[in-house]
């Protein structure tokens, strides 16, 4: 079959059925999610199988699993559906009161702990029909690829040198400080650079292979290395770890101050000078002109403005 002839047999509804069936791994569950009768979904799946020349979904034990071909079609079908959503939403203009857009935000919880809750609250208050997905900046994926593929709309974080191939909006800056438990020896005695470097440090798990973070990048530029004895992918849990150990967390003052009233903790200045932490939102050229994505970026900027202290 010629490519054009194959293309002419595919419509957006068929792509939606394909993606839903592959995600649900069940014709009956897909029918419920799509609001269709099960025979109609089965008929659409038969068309898809004929077009692909592959069963796409096969039985495995008590359930169903995608074939290799079906698995390869899962992400492309999701990208097509997201692109169609942006295409027609932006063609009409973005009205937050009636829009049903799904916003996808990638961020670490090393931000101010109030940031993401307030962002979600503001989006739901102003765009009640929209959906929100908060994705972590995890070690098993690179945010460049997620932005380029449309898996996420915006990434929020801090970088010493933001990537030049992405659009960037500055959110706020913050002073670098150390969070320690209230009776840490350094609270009583103070510390010099050597003592601080030798202390037991806790740091976030790198956001992607090879990533070092702004603190360690700066130390590396000075020819220094701190003694990291603990890493944690869940930044929000680190203050509780610090409160029960001799671990030292080095990060922004705004983050640390949120925890002073919740646990026996203290803030100390590091004996090594650090540049201010700068927080940004990053987005890809593919969503730069999108009305809905621009609205989301304005919400991010608005929440940052209410929280920052500089």
């Amino acid at each position: 079959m010629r490519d054009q002839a194959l293309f002419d047999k595919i419509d957006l509804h068929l792509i939606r059925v394909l993606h839903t069936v592959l995600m649900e791994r069940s014709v009956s569950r897909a029918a419920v999610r799509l609001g269709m009768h099960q025979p109609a979904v089965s008929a659409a799946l038969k068309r898809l199988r004929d077009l692909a020349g592959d069963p796409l979904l096969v039985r495995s034990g008590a359930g169903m699993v995608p074939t290799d071909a079906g698995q390869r079609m899962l992400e492309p079908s999701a990208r097509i559906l997201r692109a169609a959503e942006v295409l027609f939403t932006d063609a009409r203009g973005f009205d937050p009161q009636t829009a049903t857009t799904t916003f996808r935000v990638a961020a670490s919880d090393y931000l101010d702990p109030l940031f993401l809750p307030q962002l979600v609250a503001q989006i739901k208050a102003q765009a009640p029909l929209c959906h929100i997905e908060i994705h972590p900046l995890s070690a098993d994926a690179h945010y460049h690829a997620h932005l380029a593929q449309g898996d996420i709309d915006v990434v929020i974080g801090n970088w010493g040198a933001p990537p030049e191939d992405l659009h960037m909006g500055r959110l706020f800056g913050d002073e670098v400080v150390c969070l320690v438990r209230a009776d840490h020896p350094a609270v009583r005695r103070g510390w010099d650079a050597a003592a601080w470097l030798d202390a037991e440090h806790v740091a976030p798990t790198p956001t992607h292979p090879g990533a070092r973070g702004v603190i360690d990048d700066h130390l590396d530029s000075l020819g220094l290395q701190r003694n990291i004895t603990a890493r944690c992918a869940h930044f929000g849990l680190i203050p509780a770890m610090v409160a029960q150990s001799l671990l030292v967390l080095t990060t922004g003052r705004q983050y640390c101050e949120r925890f002073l009233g919740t646990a026996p903790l203290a803030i100390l200045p590091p004996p090594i000078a650090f540049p201010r932490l700068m927080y940004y939102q990053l987005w890809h050229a593919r969503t730069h002109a999108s009305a809905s994505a621009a609205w989301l970026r304005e919400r991010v900027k608005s929440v940052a403005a209410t929280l920052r202290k500089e």
Side-chain angles (χ1 to χ4, degrees):
M1 183 183 291
R2 291 170 54 244
D3 288 347
Q4 185 60 47
L6 176 63
F7 183 78
D8 290 342
K9 292 179 179 293
I10 301 172
D11 58 38
L12 192 60
H13 174 70
L14 206 57
I15 297 296
R16 185 167 175 241
V17 172
L18 170 66
H19 183 262
T20 306
V21 168
L22 292 175
M23 286 291 292
E24 295 293 336
R25 301 188 176 195
S26 164
V27 172
S28 58
R29 289 199 300 271
V32 171
R33 183 171 169 185
L34 291 164
M36 296 171 60
H37 295 296
Q38 186 169 329
V41 176
S42 296
L45 180 58
K46 182 180 185 304
R47 285 183 60 198
L48 288 161
R49 284 168 165 164
D50 290 342
L51 288 168
D54 185 271
L56 300 178
L57 201 68
V58 296
R59 187 160 297 282
S60 177
M64 304 284 285
V65 295
T67 63
D68 286 347
Q71 191 65 43
R72 289 195 300 271
M73 296 170 80
L74 185 58
E75 182 50 36
S77 64
R79 289 201 299 270
I80 291 170
L81 293 173
R82 286 195 293 269
E85 179 182 55
V86 170
L87 174 67
F88 291 105
T89 296
D90 286 358
R92 296 191 308 266
F94 181 73
D95 180 359
Q97 287 297 314
T98 59
T100 57
T101 304
T102 297
F103 293 116
R104 300 170 179 89
V105 177
S108 171
D109 52 357
Y110 56 61
L111 292 162
D112 185 314
L114 300 180
F115 191 98
L116 291 175
Q118 292 199 18
L119 176 62
V120 171
Q122 186 173 130
I123 291 172
K124 292 306 297 178
Q126 298 183 27
L129 302 181
C130 288
H131 294 243
I132 310 159
E133 296 177 2
I134 304 296
H135 296 259
L137 290 178
S138 61
D140 59 357
H142 201 300
Y143 60 84
H144 274 82
H146 287 315
L147 287 169
Q149 294 169 8
D151 298 325
I152 53 178
D153 301 305
V154 65
V155 177
I156 306 170
N158 64 340
W159 294 268
E164 295 181 358
D165 57 330
L166 297 172
H167 290 278
M168 177 194 75
R170 176 177 165 176
L171 297 176
F172 59 89
D174 202 5
E175 174 192 3
V176 173
V177 298
C178 298
L179 187 69
V180 297
R181 78 182 193 188
D183 61 349
H184 191 283
V187 174
R188 301 189 306 272
R189 299 195 303 256
W191 48 17
D192 57 17
W196 181 82
L197 291 169
D198 288 341
E200 292 190 81
H201 292 260
V202 57
T205 303
T207 56
H208 60 272
R212 292 174 56 84
V214 294
I215 301 298
D216 292 298
D217 277 344
H218 180 67
L219 290 174
D220 188 60
S221 73
L222 300 176
L224 301 173
Q225 183 175 357
R226 57 178 173 161
N227 177 31
I228 298 175
T229 62
R231 289 192 180 273
C232 182
H234 307 289
F235 208 78
L237 300 178
I238 294 180
M241 300 176 189
V242 169
Q244 301 175 67
S245 68
L246 292 178
L247 291 170
V248 177
L249 171 64
T250 304
T251 190
R253 176 179 289 277
Q254 187 162 313
Y255 179 87
C256 294
E257 286 185 345
R258 301 292 186 192
F259 293 92
L260 290 184
T262 65
L265 294 163
I267 292 176
L268 296 175
I272 295 172
F274 285 90
R276 290 175 67 80
L277 293 177
M278 304 308 302
Y279 293 84
Y280 308 90
Q281 57 176 329
L282 305 176
W283 63 95
H284 196 270
R286 62 181 298 279
T287 60
H288 185 63
S290 164
S292 57
W295 184 88
L296 171 63
R297 296 193 295 268
E298 280 300 311
R299 302 289 69 73
V300 171
K301 184 178 177 181
S302 172
V303 171
T306 66
L307 294 177
R308 67 187 181 200
K309 295 184 175 182
E310 64 169 9

